[in-house]
Amino acid sequence: MKFSTKDRYALLLMVELASATPGEYLPLKAVSDNQGISVKYLEQIVAPLSKAGLVESGRGSQGGYRLSRSAAQITAGDILRAVEGEIVPVPCLATSAESSPPPRPVRDPGLLGRAEPGH
């Protein structure tokens, strides 16, 4: 599986939050400074993580983001599903495979049976 930039940054963000002092909020600016990711891009990434219940936000001067549960209870799969949606090896296996082209019919079902071994 190939990870997009968004996937990698989401994983980095969650590692930063997991490394923060438990219970304290970490501003996205701190993550931006540590990882070299723009705050604007982090804001786009944190929104689906929050919607999925993986992070929670705090407002005010001591605000930012923190994990909504312990890091041990959050998997990489949880993070990737939050930012990408359903994870499948090929699009046609998705439960919402409406966008996948229909399978092509086999023109000659006996074709494979006639193949010679070793060719």
Side-chain angles (χ1 to χ4, degrees):
M1 176 176 192
K2 231 177 156 178
F3 295 115
S4 69
T5 300
K6 185 178 182 180
D7 297 338
R8 288 192 310 275
Y9 287 175
L11 292 166
L12 284 171
L13 170 62
M14 295 297 280
V15 168
E16 284 279 335
L17 295 177
S19 301
T21 305
E24 289 187 16
Y25 291 98
L26 184 64
L28 289 182
K29 176 73 171 112
V31 178
S32 174
D33 292 344
N34 290 342
Q35 297 296 332
I37 306 167
S38 77
V39 172
K40 286 280 189 195
Y41 199 44
L42 287 170
E43 288 170 348
Q44 293 174 16
I45 293 169
V46 80
L49 294 171
S50 181
K51 186 176 180 184
L54 299 177
V55 300
E56 55 191 31
S57 63
R59 298 181 185 262
S61 62
Q62 300 299 314
Y65 290 89
R66 66 180 179 194
L67 299 180
S68 60
R69 55 186 188 254
S70 77
Q73 295 175 321
I74 299 173
T75 67
D78 294 334
I79 299 164
L80 296 173
R81 276 187 289 279
V83 295
E84 293 294 338
E86 188 176 19
I87 301 172
V88 292
V90 289
C92 62
L93 294 178
T95 55
S96 59
E98 297 169 16
S99 61
S100 298
R104 294 189 295 199
V106 176
R107 294 199 176 155
D108 183 358
L111 181 64
L112 295 176
R114 292 193 304 262
E116 294 180 32
H119 287 90

